[in-house]
Amino acid sequence: MHQQDYNGCTKEIILENELIKNKGLRKFTPAVWINKILAFAQLKNAGLAIWKLPQDNKIHILCDLEGGSAIKEVNLDELDPGFLLAPFQAGANQNIHFKSDIKGIFELEEITSPAEGTTIDWETITEEKEIEISGIDLYKFSHLKLKNYPDLKSTRKEEYIKWVKNGIASIKREELYKIVPSKIKCIPIAEDLNIADAYLRACTNYSDAFVSLTYSPQTGLWMGASPETLIEDRKNEYFKTVALAGTQAKDGKSIANTAWTQKEIEEQAYVSRYIINCFKKIRLREYEEMGPKTVQAGNLLHLKTTYKVDTKTLNFPELASVMLKLLHPTSAVCGMPKTLSLDFLTKHETHDRAYFSGYIGPVHLDNRSHIFVNLRCCQFTKGKAIFYAGAGITEDSEPEKEWQETEIKCKVLANMVFNSLSGKR
């Protein structure tokens, strides 16, 4: 009996139809392409980044055949064009840079028939590698070969609420202004979980997010849908960064009629103040401030303020590299003041954040670097998916509500991973 796929057709028939109809054209559905490329990266111990920028309909593919390079300290100005993945705190998890040995792009579009497909516009690839990827068995990617974390368990509610209460107590003692404790949620996965399906669901459902899928021998397999820009830099034109904080579930009201509590307004104001203080440290006074305004990311709403600097007029081409070092980790994922917040999180959090709340994105591609805070993300391991989420705590926080906020945030990506596709691709 054949195994059924999400369209009700057998995987064997779909693959056979694609190969027969498109023989020699290397034309497959987006899901098949992504699965093939994942299998190729795992077999070759390569570094792989697949991503979609916010409000864009293009899927980008970049592969480093040497698996990526570890970087002790990130200096954007010294990096070759490629892709960057950095952890919350450097240590056991390293900063990793992928160079663009293989680079391609294709349009994200609805496929009306299982036998239809798309071609990839390969920008940098040899004919041999293209043939190798096209001919690979898309079912060779194995979750069983990923790292195993047998002792890793979901954060207990009582434990997280205790961290929140401790954070509130520190704020009332005026030791901290804000703290952002995180948690993990571990969910078992079936061996035949289709990562490509999950990724494409996220691309379709979260048009305003940076949707990424990365793999390397050092970092493992990660997927995310982040709404938060850390830095955007267009060479010799402009620099942007964003203050994004405050969270509530989207209801039936229009975004224009969304009401925010004092706690959420204050939380977002701390992040904005943090960015302005970073500008002050480098004596930068000329910038545009746009916001705060309510924005939607999936089924969640946030407060967002955008800051833009004309780097050409100011003759400050290295601003992005300077600000990246100053900003990370931002108060939106860590707290304020930064050093004391990091001490608090190191003392209380019992899990390793790894690449959650680090940063991720393409660098120096088409004269642009666009790096995002790695939020709404999960790591796939042997037998389980590990979902990460945090909540900003201020003096007015209610521990139960903060726990519920983290549950909602975990659910955002979990729905993409485990829910069935509503349409064909």
Side-chain angles (χ1 to χ4, degrees):
M1 184 174 179
H2 291 295
Q3 184 177 2
Q4 298 292 313
D5 83 324
Y6 54 82
N7 285 318
C9 302
T10 65
K11 291 178 179 178
E12 291 82 357
I13 290 174
I14 290 173
L15 184 58
E16 183 180 357
N17 286 346
E18 287 165 343
L19 291 173
I20 291 173
K21 182 176 180 180
N22 304 302
K23 186 176 181 182
L25 297 178
R26 305 184 188 112
K27 191 172 184 181
F28 305 99
T29 65
V32 171
W33 267 125
I34 291 172
N35 276 320
K36 283 177 175 288
I37 294 164
L38 271 174
F40 173 83
Q42 189 177 53
L43 288 170
K44 299 294 181 180
N45 289 318
L48 174 67
I50 300 172
W51 72 93
K52 179 198 76 68
L53 290 168
Q55 295 297 331
D56 195 5
N57 201 40
K58 296 181 178 66
I59 303 291
H60 300 262
I61 300 160
L62 184 146
C63 188
D64 184 335
L65 295 174
E66 295 179 3
S69 302
I71 304 170
K72 186 173 182 180
E73 184 176 351
V74 175
N75 186 329
L76 281 183
D77 298 324
E78 296 176 355
L79 293 179
D80 292 328
F83 193 91
L84 187 60
L85 182 61
F88 175 63
Q89 292 191 81
N93 304 287
Q94 298 177 304
N95 304 307
I96 301 294
H97 176 260
F98 297 153
K99 64 182 187 301
S100 54
D101 291 327
I102 295 174
K103 189 168 178 287
I105 189 171
F106 67 88
E107 295 283 339
L108 176 66
E109 56 186 7
E110 290 298 322
I111 303 300
T112 58
S113 167
E116 291 184 20
T118 187
T119 55
I120 292 180
D121 180 13
W122 295 110
E123 297 179 28
T124 54
I125 194 173
T126 63
E127 179 74 10
E128 290 179 358
K129 289 298 180 188
E130 184 181 2
I131 292 172
E132 187 176 359
I133 293 172
S134 299
I136 205 166
D137 182 349
L138 70 161
Y139 304 116
K140 280 189 176 177
F141 183 85
S142 174
H143 304 290
L144 298 179
K145 293 181 181 178
L146 296 173
K147 191 170 180 179
N148 189 21
Y149 296 89
D151 299 326
L152 198 60
K153 293 179 174 58
S154 299
T155 305
R156 292 181 295 107
K157 180 178 179 179
E158 315 84 72
E159 188 176 29
Y160 188 79
I161 285 180
K162 182 180 178 181
W163 300 343
V164 173
K165 289 179 177 179
N166 287 337
I168 294 172
S170 293
I171 293 169
K172 287 182 176 179
R173 291 194 299 268
E174 298 183 348
E175 298 167 350
L176 303 172
Y177 302 119
K178 173 186 175 182
I179 191 67
V180 190
S182 71
K183 76 168 191 184
I184 58 171
K185 193 178 187 73
C186 302
I187 302 178
I189 57 175
E191 185 181 347
D192 62 349
L193 177 68
N194 195 316
I195 300 297
D197 286 353
Y199 176 74
L200 291 171
R201 280 197 290 278
C203 287
T204 300
N205 284 275
Y206 299 106
S207 60
D208 292 327
F210 175 74
V211 188
S212 62
L213 185 64
T214 61
Y215 172 81
S216 78
Q218 305 101 307
T219 61
L221 180 63
W222 287 74
M223 188 174 103
S226 175
E228 184 173 353
T229 292
L230 182 59
I231 65 162
E232 180 183 353
D233 181 60
R234 177 74 73 174
K235 190 175 181 181
N236 296 322
E237 289 187 35
Y238 66 80
F239 164 87
K240 285 183 183 179
T241 188
V242 165
L244 188 81
T247 302
Q248 62 176 284
K250 177 75 170 68
D251 55 22
K253 299 178 183 177
S254 67
I255 291 179
N257 292 324
T258 301
W260 294 93
T261 67
Q262 178 61 33
K263 180 263 177 186
E264 293 154 339
I265 293 170
E266 184 180 54
E267 183 186 345
Q268 205 272 344
Y270 278 132
V271 184
S272 294
R273 219 169 296 147
Y274 177 80
I275 292 172
I276 292 171
N277 285 338
C278 288
F279 285 155
K280 287 180 178 178
K281 287 179 181 179
I282 56 175
R283 298 180 180 178
L284 193 155
R285 296 180 180 85
E286 297 180 36
Y287 57 85
E288 293 180 61
E289 182 176 350
M290 295 158 278
K293 64 178 182 179
T294 302
V295 295
Q296 184 172 348
N299 62 342
L300 298 179
L301 299 177
H302 305 284
L303 282 167
K304 175 182 176 181
T305 303
T306 300
Y307 297 87
K308 185 177 181 180
V309 179
D310 185 337
T311 53
K312 184 177 181 180
T313 301
L314 292 179
N315 192 25
F316 201 162
E318 70 276 16
L319 177 61
S321 190
V322 172
M323 285 298 293
L324 182 60
K325 293 177 182 178
L326 288 174
L327 288 171
H328 177 71
T330 72
S331 63
V333 297
C334 176
M336 290 180 68
K338 182 188 289 187
T339 301
L340 292 176
S341 295
L342 285 171
D343 290 343
F344 178 95
L345 297 174
T346 300
K347 177 182 177 182
H348 290 88
E349 289 186 350
T350 55
H351 56 276
D352 181 3
R353 288 195 182 193
Y355 292 92
F356 164 68
S357 63
Y359 54 84
I360 183 172
V363 293
H364 305 317
L365 296 178
D366 300 321
N367 290 321
R368 183 189 187 195
S369 297
H370 203 162
I371 297 173
F372 295 78
V373 182
N374 198 14
L375 303 175
R376 312 289 189 276
C377 64
C378 71
Q379 181 182 13
F380 295 101
T381 68
K382 183 179 180 180
K384 69 178 74 169
I386 306 167
F387 295 85
Y388 296 77
I393 309 303
T394 67
E395 187 173 356
D396 297 323
S397 291
E398 298 177 28
E400 179 66 31
K401 286 186 177 179
E402 303 301 341
W403 169 260
Q404 291 304 323
E405 179 178 320
T406 62
E407 285 288 282
I408 292 170
K409 288 177 176 177
C410 285
K411 190 176 180 181
V412 165
L413 199 58
N415 282 344
M416 298 300 101
V417 173
F418 297 108
N419 283 6
S420 60
L421 278 172
S422 57
K424 297 177 181 178
R425 201 179 306 286

